Amino acid sequence: MTIVPWLALLALCSAYLQGAICKLIDFDAAIGEMRHFGLAPPVLFAAGVIVFELVCSLAILTGHLRWLGAFALALFTFAANFLANAWWHESAGSARDMMMNGFFEHLGLAGAFVYVGWLDRRGRFHGH
């Protein structure tokens, strides 16, 4: 694979790599985030999300089971989006608009991961 597609995949995975690293650096904050979203037990969820984000990102970047990492992050992003960006629960205003924007950005991100997985399954990524 040439550098440009790999850099594009790195950019696609960047939020998950950054999120996992930040959670590792401040694990207490990661636990707080899980509590905020009502996920229990929060320690297990925080650790699981860290591992999940790192493993899936590395699968995509290395090409080893890229399709699986991409489809997994697509599903994770799609599902988490309804938890974190439920703009329809907000009253009208800038907070709702920002949340709606985030929802559709994450929907697009999930779509990009589906596309990466689909291309990988069809053999469109060369030089893993």
Side-chain angles (χ1 to χ4, degrees):
M1 173 178 293
T2 60
I3 191 71
V4 172
W6 189 85
L7 288 174
L9 291 174
L10 178 61
L12 187 60
C13 294
S14 65
Y16 302 89
L17 293 167
Q18 177 267 339
I21 291 166
C22 286
K23 285 175 182 68
L24 278 171
I25 291 170
D26 190 352
F27 195 66
D28 288 336
I31 293 168
E33 181 182 7
M34 299 307 129
R35 281 193 183 113
H36 171 77
F37 289 117
L39 301 171
V43 173
L44 185 61
F45 270 95
V49 168
I50 291 166
V51 171
F52 180 81
E53 289 178 331
L54 290 174
V55 168
C56 290
S57 295
L58 291 175
I60 291 167
L61 294 172
T62 64
H64 182 71
L65 297 175
R66 177 178 285 135
W67 65 272
L68 184 57
F71 288 149
L73 279 178
L75 183 60
F76 173 79
T77 302
F78 184 77
N81 199 21
F82 285 90
L83 185 64
N85 293 310
W87 56 271
W88 50 91
H89 293 300
E90 294 290 321
S91 57
S94 62
R96 180 181 179 175
D97 292 345
M98 287 173 44
M99 203 172 238
M100 186 188 307
N101 187 50
F103 179 88
F104 285 100
E105 286 176 353
H106 282 82
L107 192 60
L109 188 57
F113 280 120
V114 168
Y115 190 59
V116 166
W118 181 75
L119 287 176
D120 193 58
R121 291 298 296 157
R122 295 200 57 193
R124 295 292 185 95
F125 281 103
H126 302 291
H128 296 275

